[in-house]
Amino acid sequence: MEESPMWEPDAWASSGGWPAPREARTGPSLSSVLNELPSAATLRYRGPGVLPWGAVEEEEDGQRSTQSLAEATQKELQEPGPSRELPWPMQARRAHRQSLARNQVAQGSGSRAAHWTLRLRRSKEKVREGLRSMQPWEWTLKRIGGQFGAGTKSYFSLLRFLLLLNVLASVLTACMILLPTWLEGAPPGPPAPNASSPCGSYSPGSQGLVAFSTELFNLLSGEGFLEWSPLFYGFYPPRPHLAITYLCCTFAVCLLYLLLTLHRSVSGLKQTLLAESGAATSYSHRVFSAWDFGLSGKVHVRLRQRNILFELQVELEEAAVRRQAAVRTLGQQARVWSVRVLLNVAVVALLWAALFGVYRATEATAKLQEMHHIQGTPLLKLVVEYLPSIFISGVNFVLPPVFKLIAPLEGYTRSRQIVFILLRTMSLRLVSLPVLLLSLWNQITCRGNANAEECKTCGYNYKELPCWETRLGQEMYKLLLFDLLTGLAVTMLIQFPRKLLCGLCPGALGRFAGTLEFQVPDEVLGLIYAQTVVWVGSFFCPLLPLLNTAKFLLLFYLKKITLFSTCSPASRTFRASTVNFFFPLVLLLGLASSTVPVLYSIFLIPPSKLCGPFRGQSSIWAKIPESICKLPQTAQEFLFFLGTQAFAVPLLLISSILMVYTVALANSYGRLISELKRQIETEAQNKVFLAQRAVALSSANRAL
């Protein structure tokens, strides 16, 4: 019978945990090779004082092996390293860290500053977790993410963010515009019908008894009783303090929008950079590190499982597309790029045709409103007034599906396709607003001809537009209202009937009619378009953010019901980290495009002489220098100094230096990250080599 090998008593201490045979062998032994593996620490220990996994205990040497283990454990406890580097389970590490903290407090070695810094950091983490738990619809978003994927969840997260923006803007508007209006006395009523001035007359309110149908049309168009109400610019009286707070409120709200959107973009950029890096998107990360062991309950566990499933599905789809792109020949690449160029030319042609149609529809509206038979028919008048909104909504309804059909033909990954669809649809939606405003400005400024008969007296076309700011506010009000009505009509008349048809027809026809996926790009662009309309019109319609708050609140529950009752999970998902950065970026572009028409109106177009808080001024901005001149001399000199070159040039130089320093620091960090990645790759190669050596030596030992 073959004798079992004898084991050295000092094997554990000498080799680090894997006992070596008594017989001498030439070359490295299996135990020495295995001890070099990083996983050997985990295999050796399950905590201090616990026998190692896989340790061979012979009866005659059991006492010596146990004594050697106890000595090694005692040495480890006497000279411990950082808790996170110890090869112990989490519970043992936590107990070890608490023991060290108690010893430091008892010996007085811990500095008071470090102690308070630690407490402050933990307090911040607890406050952040408390605020996160107080966010509305948190459980609803988790359920949506688990059932329909993180891409669909990102839409509802963006909707919640925009709702917060509108609530904050509504609070600022109420504090800076509405309260000063009534604190200085009740605002005056509308001008008398027979009142006249060099700039004509303006009678916004309806006179006498009005039929219900007329009131309904006034509610939809913003005319009649709504035209002279706190909803629009023309209602507010020309009081000095009110004019300043009105303008300051506009800039404060814009700054608030900018800061919060930038904060969201930066946080989304961090997630995107991590997701696009090879280390964060590897399959091992999804399989071994993505699980949350703090989950409790079957529902939470099932939702997390679905989230991981969607993430792995995205990784596999994009990896397949990248593999196909990597094996393309030169001729195939030339063909792909030719197709992409032709498709982009077609997209640009469609965009130009749509924008030209918006411009012509706005001009046709002004001509049709002058016809007597249209003026005498309230329904026709309402349709004509909504003609630009109807055309814009029709274009936005027809062209995005065309862009969606074009995107898969270009050979990009699913996430890249989403980005291109968003860019094209964003160009269509956001550029249509400036085109609409351009046609209105041509009417206001007589096509830029200040010497025209209509604009020569007052600087604007006072005959057709006696209060042009209210007219712009009415257009934005109609766009917002028509967008809401369109969404309700699509949901009630298309999506829910499709679901009912699916229940009535159990066959293939019913499944085809009832299969509806939640189109994230279209829905997101709808949100950004609605928010851009609010940004453009909030100066001319101060209560527009409040109306948009009610709209988004209704929209959230409507989309939630639609999602769970009529939609199925998407057959093709996309990376949520990409859109979490790209959605706020598109939102920033919408904010930038909305500031241009507002600033143009503030600085270049003369305000109306018959309505609004800036009546009688040469421009809306002229009220600011006039108010500065009433301040003390020192404050005047300081404020005017901020607008001189003596302040702007040093500020530009300092900003350039800081930017160069930031770029250099980012480059150095990038080089350091690249070096660390190379080291990680080298370590991975070492692990593979050690594993191969272990297999080879194991085979050799079996042969012996």
Side-chain angles (χ1 to χ4, degrees):
M1 185 176 181
E2 186 178 355
E3 296 182 358
S4 60
M6 300 295 292
W7 301 92
E8 291 288 344
D10 301 331
W12 184 270
S14 62
S15 66
W18 287 89
R22 185 183 298 275
E23 292 82 10
R25 295 189 178 95
T26 59
S29 63
L30 176 60
S31 60
S32 63
V33 174
L34 290 177
N35 280 321
E36 296 179 17
L37 289 172
S39 59
T42 305
L43 294 174
R44 285 198 301 269
Y45 293 107
R46 286 175 291 170
V50 182
L51 289 177
W53 293 348
V56 180
E57 300 183 38
E58 299 292 339
E59 293 181 0
E60 61 272 13
D61 295 331
Q63 184 177 0
R64 287 179 293 178
S65 177
T66 305
Q67 183 179 0
S68 174
L69 172 63
E71 292 176 357
T73 303
Q74 187 65 26
K75 182 179 178 181
E76 202 174 64
L77 288 174
Q78 290 176 357
E79 300 178 1
S83 300
R84 67 180 61 185
E85 296 180 4
L86 293 176
W88 297 351
M90 188 62 67
Q91 185 176 3
R93 290 185 190 180
R94 187 178 297 111
H96 179 259
R97 184 169 60 250
Q98 293 174 355
S99 176
L100 289 179
R102 285 194 297 268
N103 293 337
Q104 288 181 356
V105 172
Q107 298 174 4
S109 59
S111 63
R112 187 174 298 272
H115 175 69
W116 282 106
T117 302
L118 180 61
R119 294 191 63 178
L120 181 61
R121 184 172 66 251
R122 291 179 177 175
S123 300
K124 288 182 179 179
E125 292 176 356
K126 291 182 179 179
V127 170
R128 192 178 296 112
E129 291 178 359
L131 292 177
R132 191 180 297 112
S133 63
M134 292 173 59
Q135 289 181 348
W137 308 312
E138 188 66 24
W139 166 245
T140 301
L141 292 183
K142 288 182 180 180
R143 185 184 173 194
I144 291 172
Q147 189 165 343
F148 296 92
T152 306
K153 176 185 174 182
S154 62
Y155 163 79
F156 287 90
S157 178
L158 179 65
L159 178 56
R160 183 177 63 180
F161 173 71
L162 293 179
L163 184 63
L164 172 64
L165 289 184
N166 285 277
V167 168
L168 295 178
S170 301
V171 172
L172 280 177
T173 302
C175 295
M176 300 183 68
I177 296 180
L178 295 180
L179 284 180
T181 301
W182 270 272
L183 288 178
E184 295 185 13
N194 54 358
S196 61
S197 68
C199 294
S201 60
Y202 177 54
S203 55
S206 303
Q207 303 297 325
L209 295 176
V210 180
F212 175 76
S213 59
T214 305
E215 292 289 350
L216 180 60
F217 293 147
N218 291 338
L219 179 64
L220 295 176
S221 62
E223 297 179 354
F225 69 96
L226 282 180
E227 188 170 354
W228 193 264
S229 68
L231 184 61
F232 293 111
Y233 165 93
F235 169 80
Y236 298 94
R239 296 168 181 170
H241 298 294
L242 179 61
I244 297 299
T245 57
Y246 194 101
L247 199 56
C248 290
C249 177
T250 302
F251 292 121
V253 169
C254 184
L255 182 62
L256 176 68
Y257 286 143
L258 179 63
L259 292 178
L260 292 179
T261 309
L262 279 176
H263 179 267
R264 187 177 178 88
S265 300
V266 170
S267 61
L269 178 61
K270 294 178 182 178
Q271 298 175 4
T272 302
L273 293 177
L274 287 175
E276 295 296 334
S277 62
T281 58
S282 61
Y283 302 112
S284 59
H285 168 75
R286 303 293 180 193
V287 174
F288 297 108
S289 304
W291 187 256
D292 185 4
F293 288 93
L295 294 176
S296 60
K298 294 182 179 180
V299 177
H300 295 83
V301 171
R302 186 163 58 251
L303 290 177
R304 186 58 185 165
Q305 288 174 344
R306 290 175 178 174
N307 277 328
I308 297 176
L309 175 63
F310 281 123
E311 292 174 359
L312 289 174
Q313 182 180 353
V314 172
E315 294 292 340
L316 292 172
E317 288 181 356
E318 296 195 353
V321 175
R322 285 192 292 265
R323 284 196 301 268
Q324 293 176 1
V327 298
R328 286 175 186 157
T329 62
L330 184 61
Q332 290 175 342
Q333 290 182 357
R335 184 165 58 253
V336 168
W337 280 103
S338 300
V339 171
R340 290 175 180 175
V341 170
L342 291 176
L343 291 176
N344 281 281
V345 170
V347 167
V348 172
L350 290 174
L351 290 175
W352 275 108
L355 298 179
F356 181 75
V358 172
Y359 184 83
R360 296 297 299 174
T362 309
E363 287 191 339
T365 300
K367 296 179 180 178
L368 291 174
Q369 286 178 341
E370 297 177 357
M371 298 182 178
H372 295 288
H373 66 279
I374 292 180
Q375 291 288 340
T377 308
L379 183 59
L380 286 178
K381 182 181 178 182
L382 182 65
V383 172
V384 169
E385 289 178 352
Y386 268 91
L387 186 60
S389 303
I390 293 173
F391 190 86
I392 291 175
S393 298
V395 168
N396 291 334
F397 184 77
V398 172
L399 288 187
V402 177
F403 298 153
K404 199 179 304 176
L405 293 175
I406 290 175
L409 303 177
E410 296 177 300
Y412 292 114
T413 61
R414 177 63 174 167
S415 299
R416 190 70 60 85
Q417 292 177 24
I418 295 296
V419 170
F420 277 101
I421 293 173
L422 285 173
L423 282 174
R424 290 159 181 167
T425 313
M426 177 201 67
S427 303
L428 174 66
R429 287 179 177 266
L430 298 187
V431 179
S432 61
L433 284 178
V435 172
L436 172 63
L437 295 174
L438 178 63
S439 60
L440 291 175
W441 283 333
N442 285 336
Q443 301 176 27
I444 295 169
T445 61
C446 303
R447 298 185 179 273
N449 185 11
N451 295 322
E453 182 180 356
E454 295 85 358
C455 300
K456 190 174 182 179
T457 305
C458 300
Y460 63 94
N461 191 351
Y462 65 91
K463 294 183 178 180
E464 295 183 5
L465 302 169
C467 187
W468 61 267
E469 297 93 346
T470 297
R471 172 62 187 279
L472 288 179
Q474 289 172 346
E475 291 296 330
M476 299 301 108
Y477 170 80
K478 287 185 286 188
L479 285 175
L480 183 70
L481 190 60
F482 190 77
D483 185 65
L484 174 61
L485 295 177
T486 303
L488 291 174
V490 169
T491 302
M492 300 297 180
L493 302 179
I494 297 178
Q495 295 178 348
F496 282 117
R498 286 183 60 175
K499 189 64 178 179
L500 292 176
L501 183 62
C502 176
L504 295 176
C505 302
L509 178 61
R511 289 194 301 270
F512 174 77
T515 301
L516 181 65
E517 294 183 2
F518 193 81
Q519 303 297 332
V520 176
D522 297 343
E523 300 292 345
V524 167
L525 264 297
L527 290 181
I528 296 175
Y529 169 74
Q531 189 61 45
T532 306
V533 169
V534 172
W535 285 337
V536 173
S538 57
F539 180 78
F540 312 105
C541 183
L543 297 186
L544 207 57
L546 182 61
L547 297 179
N548 203 38
T549 301
K551 174 190 171 183
F552 280 165
L553 192 62
L554 175 63
L555 191 66
F556 184 91
Y557 289 103
L558 182 65
K559 293 297 180 182
K560 174 188 170 183
I561 295 172
T562 304
L563 182 68
F564 285 107
S565 61
T566 64
C567 296
S568 59
S571 57
R572 297 183 62 196
T573 57
F574 55 91
R575 194 191 304 275
S577 58
T578 302
V579 295
N580 284 337
F581 164 69
F582 194 73
F583 288 169
L585 179 61
V586 176
L587 199 61
L588 281 175
L589 293 178
L591 179 60
S593 64
S594 65
T595 56
V596 175
V598 176
L599 293 178
Y600 179 82
S601 303
I602 290 175
F603 286 98
L604 297 180
I605 302 181
S608 300
K609 301 299 188 292
L610 301 175
C611 66
F614 300 97
R615 65 186 77 171
Q617 301 290 331
S618 58
S619 68
I620 295 176
W621 179 254
K623 194 66 180 179
I624 299 297
E626 179 182 327
S627 301
I628 292 176
C629 292
K630 298 178 182 179
L631 296 175
Q633 187 65 27
T634 305
Q636 292 183 35
E637 293 177 355
F638 174 74
L639 292 175
F640 283 119
F641 170 74
L642 296 180
T644 60
Q645 295 179 355
F647 175 78
V649 173
L651 180 63
L652 180 61
L653 291 176
I654 294 173
S655 302
S656 302
I657 293 172
L658 291 177
M659 187 179 298
V660 170
Y661 171 75
T662 305
V663 171
L665 190 64
N667 291 335
S668 64
Y669 285 156
R671 288 191 295 269
L672 179 60
I673 291 172
S674 300
E675 183 64 28
L676 292 175
K677 286 182 178 180
R678 284 194 293 269
Q679 292 181 10
I680 292 175
E681 293 175 358
T682 304
E683 291 294 331
Q685 295 173 359
N686 292 338
K687 291 179 182 180
V688 173
F689 171 75
L690 290 174
Q692 292 174 351
R693 290 291 305 276
V695 172
L697 289 173
S698 178
S699 301
N701 289 339
R702 292 195 193 97
L704 292 176

